């Protein structure tokens, strides 16, 4: 089929009548083409890795079909037997079809056919699934989302084997299964199908791919342009609205990965069937940008767990296996081969084969991780996610400043939240989602109540909490009305810096935050600087939670520990889940610091107290009757009552603990003193290390490069133009001259 | 030197006078021989791995000696600057000497020489170290243990370069450093030197190796046979007393590894200098058995953390790198090459080269992990450690029953304690030691107070606690007077079983425990059975703690959670460290079960309550003001008041959680019911799985194979001979016939 865009609205559904076996020369016609099949069959020996995946898949299929697979009555929610069995069956139909194409083994074609026929027998009799909740019921599954996913797999399997079916068999599968399901997912579920949302993308992909496989342009048209065909919904509109110009998906990387899958599957099908749509060039190649964004939004192979996110998801997922293969096939970018090296398998199509062969032939080069800003919003005007990286590789330092829009219903109330990674580990952490995906005992595998009471709340994140309430009072409808503004972003050899402001997360308190990675301090590793400024017309309690992963080894101030009676830190908005383990008071003007050990490296977090400050050490787990939460730790820095407050923090990774070789280096940090002062409109941060060297970071928060700023320290003026200046070594030398 | 054993007592110290440079044809003469050097230089190209280690070491040395290394005044305890610097210097002397031999680069020889001369300058002026505590003061280090370790390294470096020293230089090093240090460690520290203990082994190794290097038979004699030379102390006596006939070291594997090092270094030196002692054949090859035991007492590369143990220690430690290389050189056993595959480096001597070359040439075969019993005590009569394994590889199932003697001062009060491993993880856990090795902020890197108040206490282990007191009232002197008895050990294709009894851990309560791994139940994986029987002449409170690693997903009984106020479970003996998180009551005759998720697998622990039972879910961390303890979890099963009680547990690993591929299988266990009954002198355990099949494990606790036992169940007799019988499939079939 060559689908003509201009004729979208004028096509009749008559093409089906014209379908003839002769058409099969173009089958399969979704993600795998006859040319791919020919190419793989001819050159398969050139990629042992791809061959191995193909053979393993074939072996698994033999095992799977050893006895006829069960096609049970749909009764269970996610994680339950019928749910998981149908999922596996859908994938088996897909795999069997593909393996048949690539190996020519007709047993696989028959296995796929038999399973499709079983479903064709059951499907017409299904009403809404008994476990359905809310407005998106499925039939085979508890929600129609899973049904769309199932169909994108099954339709590929069908497409790969349809030429092997008798006319009667094909009719049964088409009339009793594929069309009823595609109809149900489109006209039968308009609320999902026409929604600009990842559930909608799955629906249009399933229906659109079915359209291509059945040569039914009506399905394709609806999928591309919505049920009305007018383009205010459907796939093209989704591409335009769901990604920012930098390829960022507003729900965050975890759902970006998930959302990518139908975009990729359907786009590749469109490319094969309607190449003149130039779908991969749409919006300056936005789909490719989105694939690259997924890689950039990961650390050590796992996604930044922003918003609702299951933390074990990352680049080694089926979505990214499709994505990386597709991106490599389209661009030939050999740095993507290093990402494939993090993946445990290859997709069984032409793209996957090209990727595997290139890796097997040693063409891999390292992915170029670097500091980047990902603007949010369809036009890139709804804040941004700033990613600062130090070092060339994925497992060196990464600092993430979350200044994005809310990200729909899966968004967390964590404006200007911060994440920090080092040495292969998440160090300043984000809880992600409170959910045990597919674990039926845990609320049927769905989101847990604690996702609302804890994971989404502001205190569950590394950002400002005013008066123990969450941003936007924790209300989505309010949160969706505003977003942070990026003030500045820069990346040089010695300083990487990002700054953003949030005006209306609270009724009368605004705050801004500037974070930087400084490479040139007299320390073992780059150091993180964090200046968070809150201001209000009235007095408030300001809390800065710092969630950390590690074992405390030291604190600057002696603690008042709670050793025989633990109470929650607060009553609501997430505070009710924090046990108060210890506290201390830090007078204004002093530094408080805490050192912890994470794996084989030490970390020292130092805060300069502007006002008298309380420090709480907390542990997650209060008001958690069903053990739904992980045991994690947080510091909470609190200023009781102030109309404005600066939280100024310096965070230093240092030293080495080597348990196996029995030595320890630099278990104490090298930073000895952190001073902060506000002069005129400028902030000045001074850091002194143990060897006596001092560094200064000066911030004007004014990005105009032509404006000059001056502050005076110890009677000596420091001048700079623009947003910031870093006085490092030069300053130290100056100081020595004066000594 | 060829040391004649029979002449031990008659040698004068006159040989030193006879030392001439001509003797150097036999240098180096400790772990590296002239023949090794020749061999390595000639065939080095045949092992890229060994060459790489050698080159890396040479490069590190160049960096280390780029500026003259610091030789600071000894002031710090473990982890402090002077402590760590001296450690590094000792290793640098060793490495530089070896690299000089293997590469011929005289720069390395000069570097080692200069460092030795610096120490020769400082050492005579040192008194006792300022941080010394207790009865084993050092001079260069806070305890003489570290000084012995230092000398074993430095003497090898000296030996490798002594031919390059001028006579005056050599005199200075010998007279001002090596002899004063060896004298201090022997005659100057008799309490350590003559002690049958790993500190003693280090001392005799250091002094004995110095003797060989200086050709001083007096040192060698003292090292082999004690200060008096009569053999009631010294190396030979230590070999005889510190290892059991199965190669088990009474302190447990963590200290076995540490203790092995001086045994290995000195033994290899003895072999080179006094081969007629046949040291590696001594006691039927006990040193080799001890090396193999280290491997057997590990899981996934890490040692079972019995007694005081740092949990990140395992096979990839310098001690085992020497050990495996030595064992391979002596035996040619290619299964040891797979252990070398877990190690990140090779030792730089002939043994290391042979090991590396064999691996590089592809001669590796898998190590044969299997169920084994390691008897404890010099004559093997002080209980045993039983290791049951299922599957061929290190990362499959392992069950450890600790029925050993106390293990001296590092022993824990955990008679008949249990550990369980599965799927690469420690599942039923042991805390190990409360210590941050070399982390100065944590009590100077020494053992923490919580090692006494928690880690050693019985409740910190998976074994019986009576009346909330520890075994032997937590007193070493009492604990050393008795030990458990092994009742039975067997390993067949379908059942692996071990049984032991402990009579006098409590004044009037004895207990025995039988554990088994059953392969043939209708479950995903082998299942653990645990029958612990306590009996007394009076009524007591019986607790069985189960420390587990995982996230709770479900419990059979609804819990009474403590959601807003946590209190310790008890007052003393470790109980004061456990926060009580939730509890429930289980009536006699019911099963209580809990399911948790560890990484990608589920685990269900089921206990059949004989009496009314309380179940507590606890978390470690109460009364821990300095955050010294890790946050870990335990179940505590409690029978309040009974004169005898059976804790009968069945533990089932099951299913799969795959977050990355988004599926979950069998998140509920397959075992539905556990029944226990006592008939006459026999225990009978019945297990029913979800598919209706039943299995029975019958225990007579009578190892006499000629005695016949019979029990009657549902009117049907079951008969067997000997200690136990397992009625599996046959029984299920029988049952069906009767249905």
């Amino acid at each position: 089929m060559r689908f003509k865009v201009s004729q979208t609205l004028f096509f009749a559904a008559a093409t089906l009548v014209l379908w003839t076996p002769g058409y099969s020369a173009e089958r399969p016609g979704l993600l795998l083409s006859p040319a791919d099949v020919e190419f793989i069959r001819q050159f398969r020996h050139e990629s042992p890795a791809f061959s191995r995946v193909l053979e393993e898949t074939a072996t698994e299929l033999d095992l799977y079909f050893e006895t006829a697979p069960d096609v049970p009555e749909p009764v269970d929610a996610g994680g339950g037997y019928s749910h998981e069995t149908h999922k596996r069956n859908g994938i088996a139909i897909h795999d069997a079809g593909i393996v048949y194409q690539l190996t020519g083994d007709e047993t696989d074609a028959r296995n796929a056919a038999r399973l499709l026929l079983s479903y064709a027998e059951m499907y017409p009799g299904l009403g809404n699934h008994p476990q359905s909740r809310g407005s998106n019921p499925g039939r085979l599954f508890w929600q129609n989302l899973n049904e769309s996913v199932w169909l994108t797999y099954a339709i590929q399997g069908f497409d790969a084997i349809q030429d092997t079916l008798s006319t009667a068999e094909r009719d049964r599968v088409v009339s009793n299964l594929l069309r009823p399901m595609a109809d149900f997912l489109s006209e039968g579920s308009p609320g999902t199908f026409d929604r600009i949302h990842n559930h909608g993308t799955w629906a249009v992909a399933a229906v659109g791919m079915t359209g291509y496989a059945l040569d039914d342009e009506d399905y394709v048209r609806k999928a591309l342009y919505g049920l009305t065909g007018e383009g205010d919904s459907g796939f093209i509109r989704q591409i335009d609205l769901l990604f920012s110009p930098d390829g960022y998906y507003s729900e965050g990387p975890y759902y970006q990965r998930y959302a990518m899958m139908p975009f990729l599957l359907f786009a590749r099908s469109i490319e094969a069937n309607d190449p003149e749509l130039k779908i991969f060039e749409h919006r300056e190649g936005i789909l490719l940008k989105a694939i690259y964004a997924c890689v950039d939004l990961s650390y050590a192979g796992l996604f930044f767990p922003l918003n609702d996110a299951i933390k074990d998801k990352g680049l080694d997922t089926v979505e990214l296996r499709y994505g990386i293969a597709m991106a490599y096939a389209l661009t030939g970018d050999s740095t993507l081969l290093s990402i494939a090296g993090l993946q445990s398998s290859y997709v069984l199509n032409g793209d996957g084969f090209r990727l595997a062969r290139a890796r097997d032939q040693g063409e891999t080069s390292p992915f170029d991780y670097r500091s980047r800003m990902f603007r949010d919003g369809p036009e890139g005007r709804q804040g941004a996610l700033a990613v600062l990286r130090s070092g060339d590789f994925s497992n060196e330092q990464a600092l993430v400043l979350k200044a994005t829009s809310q990200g729909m219903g899966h968004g967390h109330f964590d404006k200007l939240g911060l994440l920090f990674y080092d040495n292969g580990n998440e160090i300043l952490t984000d809880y992600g989602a409170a959910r045990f995906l597919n674990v039926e005992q845990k609320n049927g595998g769905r989101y847990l109540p604690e996702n609302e009471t804890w994971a989404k709340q502001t205190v569950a994140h590394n950002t400002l909490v005013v008066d123990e309430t969450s941003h936007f009072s924790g209300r989505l409808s309010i949160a969706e009305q505003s977003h942070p503004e990026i003030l500045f972003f820069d990346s040089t050899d010695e300083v990487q810096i990002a700054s953003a402001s949030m005006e209306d997360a609270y009724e009368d308190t605004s705050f801004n935050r500037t974070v930087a990675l400084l490479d040139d301090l007299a320390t073992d590793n780059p150091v993180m600087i964090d200046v968070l400024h809150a201001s209000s017309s009235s007095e408030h309690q300001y809390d800065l939670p710092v969630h950390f992963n590690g074992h405390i080894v030291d604190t600057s101030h002696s603690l008042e520990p709670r050793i025989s009676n633990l109470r929650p830190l607060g009553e609501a908005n997430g505070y009710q889940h924090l046990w108060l383990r210890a506290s201390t008071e830090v007078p204004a003007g002093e530094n408080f610091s805490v050192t912890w050990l994470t794996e084989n490296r030490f970390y020292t977090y130092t805060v300069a107290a502007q006002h008298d400050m309380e420090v709480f050490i907390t542990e997650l787990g209060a008001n958690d009757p069903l053990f739904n939460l992980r045991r994690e730790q947080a510091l909470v820095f609190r200023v009781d009552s102030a109309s404005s407050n600066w939280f100024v923090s310096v965070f230093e990774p240092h030293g080495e603990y080597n348990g196996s070789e029995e030595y320890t280096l630099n278990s104490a940090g090298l930073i000895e003193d952190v001073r902060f002062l506000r002069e005129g409109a400028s902030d000045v941060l001074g850091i002194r290390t143990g060897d006596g060297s001092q560094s200064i970071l000066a911030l004007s928060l004014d990005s105009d490069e032509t404006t000059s700023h001056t502050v005076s320290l110890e009677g000596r003026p420091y001048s700079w133009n623009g947003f910031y200046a870093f006085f490092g070594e030069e300053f130290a030398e100056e100081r020595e001259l004066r000594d």
Side-chain angles (χ1 to χ4, degrees), chain A:
Chain A
M1 182 169 67
R2 292 292 172 266
F3 186 66
K4 300 296 178 297
V5 187
S6 56
Q7 296 172 9
T8 312
L9 302 175
F10 308 101
F11 263 70
T15 42
L16 240 199
V17 182
L18 301 177
W19 187 90
T20 65
Y23 193 67
S24 67
E26 294 190 22
R27 293 292 157 209
L30 297 172
L31 273 83
L32 188 67
S33 70
D36 285 339
V37 170
E38 182 57 34
F39 182 62
I40 294 170
R41 287 196 185 189
Q42 188 173 349
F43 294 104
R44 189 180 136 183
H45 61 282
E46 293 187 2
S47 176
F50 186 88
S51 295
R52 197 182 58 242
V53 175
L54 179 54
E55 284 155 22
E56 283 169 3
T57 307
T59 306
E60 280 164 22
L61 284 170
D62 289 347
L63 195 67
Y64 196 79
F65 286 102
E66 213 169 53
T67 53
D70 193 13
V71 179
E73 185 190 351
V75 291
D76 300 319
Y81 174 77
S82 70
H83 181 96
E84 297 298 326
T85 302
H86 291 310
K87 276 169 65 181
R88 280 197 302 276
N89 282 345
I91 291 168
I93 291 167
H94 169 273
D95 289 355
I98 303 305
V99 169
Y100 159 67
Q101 283 287 342
L102 299 184
T103 66
D105 185 340
E106 291 182 5
T107 312
D108 291 300
R110 278 326 289 164
N111 284 335
R114 269 197 291 266
L115 204 41
L116 282 163
L117 287 163
S118 298
Y119 277 97
E121 196 162 323
M122 179 175 72
Y123 198 75
L126 297 180
N128 278 359
H129 191 284
Q131 298 283 338
S132 291
R133 314 214 172 167
S135 55
N136 311 307
R139 290 178 175 175
L140 199 51
F141 296 92
W142 68 277
Q143 56 175 352
N144 61 29
L145 168 64
N146 300 91
E147 203 134 326
S148 297
V149 175
W150 191 90
L151 183 53
T152 59
Y153 279 100
I155 196 63
Q156 293 181 67
F158 168 81
D159 186 44
I161 63 142
Q162 58 173 310
D163 294 349
T164 71
L165 298 174
S166 71
T167 307
E169 284 175 337
R170 188 178 183 283
D171 276 355
R172 268 157 58 205
V173 173
V174 170
S175 308
N176 294 346
L177 176 66
L178 301 177
R179 288 192 167 279
M181 197 180 266
D183 291 341
F184 168 65
L185 292 172
S186 53
E187 297 291 349
S189 309
T192 301
F193 190 85
D194 272 354
R195 194 171 163 209
I196 306 298
H197 182 276
N198 81 64
H199 291 202
T201 313
W202 276 107
V204 301
V207 172
M209 290 166 73
T210 303
Y212 284 128
L214 301 187
D215 209 15
D216 180 333
E217 298 188 354
D218 184 51
Y219 284 147
V220 175
R221 178 175 48 78
K222 286 174 177 165
L224 287 172
Y225 304 108
L227 290 176
T228 65
E230 288 174 7
D232 51 355
S233 58
F235 192 66
I236 303 294
R237 186 73 175 158
Q238 291 181 345
I239 295 180
D240 292 343
L241 291 182
L242 287 176
F243 294 103
S244 83
D246 295 324
Y248 181 77
Y249 180 78
S250 65
E251 293 185 294
Y254 171 78
Y255 273 104
Q256 172 149 0
R257 159 205 63 82
Y258 190 68
M260 290 299 293
M261 185 72 164
F263 279 110
L264 296 171
L265 298 180
F266 192 25
R268 200 70 175 112
S269 303
I270 294 169
E271 182 75 7
N273 289 277
D274 289 310
E276 71 287 358
L277 279 180
K278 296 187 193 304
I279 194 72
F280 283 103
E281 294 170 33
H282 189 77
R283 279 189 82 195
E284 302 177 351
I286 191 68
L287 289 174
L288 279 171
K289 285 183 183 172
I291 296 171
Y292 277 86
C294 284
V295 179
D296 274 313
L297 300 180
S298 72
Y299 182 89
L302 297 179
F303 294 125
F304 301 146
L306 304 171
N307 296 329
D308 283 346
I310 307 293
K311 297 185 81 164
D312 47 13
K313 285 279 186 184
L315 303 178
D316 185 21
T317 41
V318 63
E319 297 88 353
L320 268 293
R321 289 199 281 274
Y322 276 100
I324 297 299
M326 227 169 263
Y328 177 72
L330 290 163
T331 65
D333 174 1
S334 65
T335 72
L336 293 171
L337 300 174
S338 70
I339 306 304
L342 301 172
Q343 300 177 332
S344 56
S345 186
Y346 291 99
V347 291
L348 292 175
N349 58 32
D351 297 344
F353 179 70
R354 284 177 194 90
L355 184 74
R357 192 172 68 150
R359 260 192 75 78
D360 283 348
Q361 294 178 348
E363 294 170 18
T364 302
S365 57
F367 190 84
D368 182 25
Y369 289 99
R370 57 173 68 185
S371 296
R372 289 196 56 190
M373 186 169 70
F374 294 86
R375 290 169 293 164
D376 193 9
E379 294 170 345
R381 294 181 189 157
Q382 297 180 17
L385 191 77
V387 181
L388 305 182
R389 289 188 190 263
S390 175
D392 295 332
F393 300 103
S394 165
N395 65 347
E396 298 190 13
Q397 286 193 337
L399 193 168
V400 181
L401 178 64
K402 184 170 183 264
T404 58
S405 72
Q406 186 63 20
M408 302 188 270
H410 289 301
H412 288 193
F413 299 95
D414 59 348
K415 300 298 147 192
L416 312 194
L418 179 152
L419 282 177
F420 187 83
Y421 293 86
D422 182 71
N423 193 34
N425 295 306
E426 191 184 0
I427 306 294
L428 303 182
T429 63
D430 188 311
Y431 191 87
R435 181 183 191 186
F436 288 80
L437 185 67
N438 294 328
V439 177
E440 211 176 3
Q441 296 101 321
K442 289 291 195 190
N443 199 28
R446 293 183 285 267
Y447 285 97
L448 296 163
E450 289 77 9
N451 199 54
E452 298 296 322
T453 62
W454 168 252
K456 282 186 173 178
Q457 300 291 334
T458 306
V459 73
H461 303 83
N462 304 313
T463 189
L464 181 75
V465 189
V466 178
D467 298 334
E468 297 183 39
T469 59
S470 286
H471 297 170
F472 309 108
S473 305
R475 290 173 59 188
L476 176 62
S477 58
I478 304 176
E480 285 188 322
Q481 293 167 23
S482 58
H483 53 77
E485 298 291 342
I486 289 289
L487 301 177
F488 192 72
F489 182 88
D490 195 20
S491 172
T492 71
D493 278 352
E494 60 181 13
V495 180
Q496 299 183 75
I497 188 166
S499 183
S501 68
M502 185 71 231
E503 294 302 321
D504 40 12
Y506 291 104
E507 209 163 292
D508 74 342
T509 305
S510 64
F511 61 107
N512 62 56
R513 189 171 206 170
T514 304
V515 295
L517 282 180
L518 301 186
D519 277 13
D520 276 5
L521 297 185
T523 50
D524 293 355
N525 296 284
V527 159
M528 180 188 89
I529 307 290
D530 176 21
V531 180
L532 192 157
H533 176 223
S535 67
S536 174
S537 54
S538 54
E539 297 212 328
H540 293 283
Q541 172 185 301
Y542 295 118
D543 284 358
L544 178 62
V546 175
H547 299 267
F548 69 100
N549 162 27
H551 194 121
I552 291 177
V553 297
D554 207 9
T555 55
S556 59
H557 292 60
S558 66
L559 301 172
E560 184 197 330
R562 309 303 195 270
I563 59 172
S564 58
N565 191 353
L566 286 195
R567 296 282 193 174
L569 180 61
E571 298 296 319
N573 304 318
Y575 283 79
Q576 75 277 20
H577 290 299
L578 291 171
W579 294 116
L580 173 56
R581 291 275 331 262
S583 63
T584 191
E585 298 193 358
V586 182
E590 288 191 10
N591 282 184
F592 171 83
S593 70
V594 53
T595 299
W596 67 77
L597 175 62
T598 311
E599 213 171 77
N600 63 340
R601 190 170 286 177
F602 296 90
Y603 296 87
T604 296
Y605 197 103
T606 301
V607 188
Q610 187 199 9
H611 298 100
D612 288 353
M613 188 172 77
E614 284 176 286
V615 178
F616 303 104
I617 300 181
T618 69
E619 187 179 316
L620 193 54
N623 285 287
D624 176 22
L626 297 176
F627 294 86
N628 282 342
L629 294 170
R630 301 189 301 270
R631 306 275 87 77
E632 302 197 345
Q633 305 164 89
L635 303 159
V636 178
F637 302 111
R638 172 170 296 172
V639 171
D640 247 356
S641 181
S643 60
S644 103
N645 184 64
W646 276 265
F647 285 108
V648 176
S649 317
V650 174
F651 186 52
E652 178 193 3
H654 55 89
E656 181 182 1
Y657 167 79
N658 190 320
S660 174
E661 303 296 330
E662 294 200 349
Y663 65 81
T664 297
L665 301 173
N666 291 351
S667 65
L670 297 171
I671 289 174
E672 293 215 329
D673 194 25
V674 175
R675 293 289 140 198
F676 180 75
L677 67 88
R678 176 97 184 144
E679 229 195 48
S682 295
D683 298 338
V684 180
L685 183 69
I687 301 169
R688 197 183 72 235
T689 52
D691 65 356
S693 73
Q694 289 200 33
S695 304
I696 281 180
L697 183 69
L699 300 169
S700 69
L701 300 196
D702 172 2
S703 60
D704 184 348
E705 280 295 332
T706 64
T707 314
S708 167
H709 307 274
T710 301
V711 296
S712 178
L713 293 177
E714 300 176 20
R716 189 169 173 284
Y718 291 87
S719 299
W720 73 96
N721 279 10
F723 196 87
Y724 80 99
F726 176 57
F727 302 97
E729 287 306 309
E730 315 98 276
F731 176 72
E733 285 162 23
E734 296 275 358
R735 202 187 60 86
E736 278 165 29
L737 289 178
R738 286 182 294 127
D739 274 351

